[in-house]
Amino acid sequence: MPRRFTPKVITSNHLLRGDTIYLSPSGGWVDRFQEAKVFVDEAEATQTLADIDLQRDVHVGAYLADANVSDRGVPRPAHFRERFRDTGPSNYFHGKQADL
């Protein structure tokens, strides 16, 4: 039996900064997982991922990441790896952690 499609966001790395970025509902890129567009339709997610692959001057390594969606519709990382990528390195406060 095929697995049921679960909510996803599209994540990548900014080509010049190297930071983790997420596709927003408006089609641009944002720095926070909570601001990402949530995909609940597998066909739309797959097509959008293919479409943004053409933006090679902006990002590198885009993929679909699992998301848990709160009652308010705010996405949260479903896996530790994505939580780490969203907050940045944990050895000291710099980058995204300095902004919190």
Side-chain angles (χ1 to χ4, degrees):
M1 177 180 348
R3 286 181 53 185
R4 188 180 61 113
F5 186 79
T6 58
K8 310 258 190 260
V9 301
I10 294 178
T11 183
S12 190
N13 288 91
H14 192 277
L15 185 62
L16 299 178
R17 294 187 330 232
D19 291 340
T20 303
I21 54 177
Y22 306 92
L23 190 68
S24 74
S26 66
W29 294 96
V30 293
D31 292 330
R32 297 282 175 211
F33 197 101
Q34 296 86 339
E35 299 170 5
K37 176 178 180 171
V38 177
F39 291 89
V40 294
D41 178 78
E42 185 172 13
E44 179 188 12
T46 303
Q47 183 60 53
T48 303
L49 187 60
D51 292 344
I52 64 149
D53 190 46
L54 302 174
Q55 299 177 2
R56 294 183 182 158
D57 59 331
V58 177
H59 70 89
V60 63
Y63 64 92
L64 295 170
D66 290 330
N68 293 326
V69 182
S70 73
D71 295 340
R72 294 172 147 171
V74 177
R76 300 280 184 223
H79 190 273
F80 171 79
R81 177 177 192 255
E82 298 309 322
R83 284 194 305 267
F84 183 81
R85 291 183 76 237
D86 186 39
T87 59
S90 59
N91 54 349
Y92 58 92
F93 292 109
H94 65 282
K96 289 182 179 184
Q97 288 185 351
D99 295 337
L100 294 178

